[in-house]
Amino acid sequence: MLRRFSPRLAVLTVLSLFVMALTSTAVVAQDAFTFTAASTEVTHTAGQTLRIDLSIANHTDGPLDILLDIPVSPGAPWYPEIRGRIGTFEVARVTIQPDPTETERTLTTFRFLNDIPEDAAPGEYNFSVRARTADGRFSQTIPFVITIKGSDEEAVEDLEVETRFPLLRGPADASFEFAVTLRNRSSEELILDLAGLVPEGWDLAFKPSFEEKFFTSISVSGAGSQSLDVIVTPSRTAAPGQYPVQFTAGVGERTVSADFGVILTGNSEVRLGTSDGRLNAEASAGNAGTVPVVVFNTGTIPLAQVDLIGQGPSGWDISFDQASAIDIQPGLFQEVRAHITPTDQALPGDYSVTIFANSPDTSDTMELRITVTKSSVWGWVGLAIVAVVALGLVGLFVRLGRR
């Protein structure tokens, strides 16, 4: 069955399709590209060059023809312009290729430049940069506020330093890493010299976060930031307590500083040695040999409850004048005589004996070489046997002579 053609219905259909087309176009245009700036509020001084990085990302499936202009500026003698990233040519129109990954990682970058007039009066100056498609379907504008400070005002605070944990605790044999972030609020790149103050005998170093190389200066881009680690290594002989550390970064009159603190809990360290430095001694089988063992406290806190233990061949006896509860102050030592007795059946030769020093917090070991010599008892026994044999022979000759 055929229906009669209705003009009213046809008009409504066309209008619906038109509205749908407009709605679809707005959504596509809304996602066509992203226009961003590294910073939109910058503080600067007269006579310097203003630099702000700009980026455009294409979110469509094909290339976009983009027009760039500066619709708002203070006018003469301000002459802002848009240049390529390296600043060699002025840019007014550019073709942006699509991002194959559909993310904003692939960017086309530009730079907003302006030589600030030498006689620019202190105050705020407004600019804007516009990016729009050549067909006029989409446009984005970024406003900028540039603040110029006068010569009679305080120095521009365009450099900042941040740290999360300014106070760290640990023993003197540890290294302390302070995480620092440097922020450059100006529009120009800054190459900052790094320095610091630490107690005498301590070491200070700087390295990038998550890297193992060291440096003494760092570059921070305009309106950017850089993270680094400040590494503090105390003197191993530093006493327990809290110590100040100061970090500075700057170039010329632009300098920032941060104060840190290190709380040393002290390190416990015991070392064994001998009074004459020799690690060998002699002993005869069944008889004790004596070794002057020295217990050193090379840490920064007192040693308490140090015990001495000796270990040697099976059956050997090892004892000490004082084998337990030895207390020693930092930097001092105590001499304890070790008595090492081989078994009666020990054969002549070299044997290994180990001395252990143990405390609740630290320990150390020392290896000694004990040379076992022939026992003097067996020497006398041998002499007695020789004497008996000699006397027997003399008696025998006497008896035979009488016959």
Side-chain angles (χ1 to χ4, degrees):
M1 178 179 177
L2 296 176
R3 293 186 178 180
R4 180 178 297 178
F5 174 75
S6 173
R8 177 177 298 178
L9 181 59
V11 171
L12 291 175
T13 301
V14 172
L15 288 175
S16 298
L17 292 174
F18 180 70
V19 171
M20 290 175 63
L22 286 178
T23 303
S24 176
T25 300
V27 172
V28 173
Q30 184 70 21
D31 298 331
F33 68 88
T34 302
F35 186 35
T36 57
S39 179
T40 58
E41 296 185 6
V42 177
T43 300
H44 231 302
T45 55
Q48 296 186 342
T49 300
L50 173 67
R51 299 178 180 88
I52 300 176
D53 290 338
L54 309 171
S55 301
I56 298 179
N58 181 1
H59 302 303
T60 68
D61 295 331
L64 282 178
D65 211 10
I66 302 294
L67 303 179
L68 297 169
D69 64 340
I70 304 173
V72 176
S73 71
W78 294 77
Y79 301 104
E81 56 187 7
I82 303 171
R83 288 186 171 269
R85 183 65 178 82
I86 59 176
T88 57
F89 56 91
E90 192 170 357
V91 177
R93 183 169 184 158
V94 66
T95 299
I96 310 296
Q97 297 299 323
D99 184 353
T101 61
E102 297 183 357
T103 69
E104 295 186 16
R105 288 179 295 178
T106 302
L107 302 175
T108 301
T109 57
F110 310 93
R111 179 167 283 177
F112 174 77
L113 292 172
N114 194 105
D115 291 329
I116 301 175
E118 294 281 354
D119 57 353
E124 293 184 352
Y125 296 83
N126 296 314
F127 297 81
S128 68
V129 178
R130 178 173 57 190
R132 53 195 172 94
T133 56
D135 58 11
R137 295 173 61 191
F138 182 76
S139 176
Q140 286 192 33
T141 301
I142 300 178
F144 299 96
V145 178
I146 312 301
T147 302
I148 304 299
K149 300 185 78 69
S151 58
D152 57 340
E153 300 182 57
E154 295 183 357
V156 180
E157 297 180 356
D158 52 10
L159 186 61
E160 299 175 358
V161 59
E162 297 177 2
T163 181
R164 293 183 59 189
F165 305 105
L167 186 63
L168 298 178
R169 176 192 301 267
D173 57 355
S175 292
F176 301 85
E177 293 190 8
F178 296 91
V180 171
T181 300
L182 294 171
R183 300 189 185 279
N184 180 8
R185 300 295 186 185
S186 73
S187 62
E188 61 180 313
E189 181 183 25
L190 297 178
I191 299 179
L192 306 175
D193 294 324
L194 308 177
L197 292 175
V198 294
E200 185 177 358
W202 292 36
D203 291 328
L204 184 66
F206 314 100
K207 72 179 186 68
S209 299
F210 312 111
E211 296 185 34
E212 294 304 322
K213 59 184 179 182
F214 296 89
F215 51 63
T216 57
S217 63
I218 190 171
S219 173
V220 185
S221 61
S225 63
Q226 283 283 8
S227 297
L228 67 143
D229 293 332
V230 179
I231 303 175
V232 178
T233 304
S235 167
R236 292 180 63 88
T237 59
Q242 182 167 338
Y243 294 84
V245 175
Q246 187 181 65
F247 164 74
T248 60
V251 54
E253 297 182 355
R254 295 175 173 173
T255 302
V256 291
S257 63
D259 293 323
F260 304 128
V262 172
I263 299 178
L264 294 184
T265 56
N267 65 305
S268 181
E269 188 173 35
V270 63
R271 288 288 180 266
L272 287 172
T274 60
S275 60
D276 56 5
R278 297 172 55 193
L279 297 179
N280 63 292
E282 292 184 352
S284 59
N287 294 314
T290 302
V291 178
V293 175
V294 179
V295 185
F296 296 91
N297 182 355
T298 54
T300 59
I301 59 176
L303 278 175
Q305 301 297 317
V306 179
D307 297 331
L308 295 177
I309 302 173
Q311 182 179 20
S314 176
W316 286 38
D317 179 70
I318 303 173
S319 61
F320 303 90
D321 288 345
Q322 182 180 355
S324 61
I326 301 174
D327 299 335
I328 309 174
Q329 293 298 314
L332 301 181
F333 64 90
Q334 182 169 332
E335 183 175 324
V336 179
R337 302 183 73 81
H339 306 283
I340 303 172
T341 306
T343 62
D344 293 337
Q345 294 78 29
L347 298 176
D350 291 336
Y351 296 83
S352 178
V353 171
T354 304
I355 307 297
F356 299 88
N358 298 317
S359 77
D361 301 316
T362 182
S363 63
D364 192 27
T365 61
M366 177 176 64
E367 296 286 338
L368 297 175
R369 188 180 77 236
I370 305 300
T371 301
V372 176
T373 60
K374 293 181 180 180
S375 173
S376 60
V377 173
W378 290 107
W380 288 109
V381 170
L383 290 175
I385 293 173
V386 171
V388 169
V389 172
L391 290 174
L393 291 173
V394 170
L396 179 62
F397 287 137
V398 170
R399 292 174 61 185
L400 291 175
R402 289 178 179 176
R403 293 180 182 180

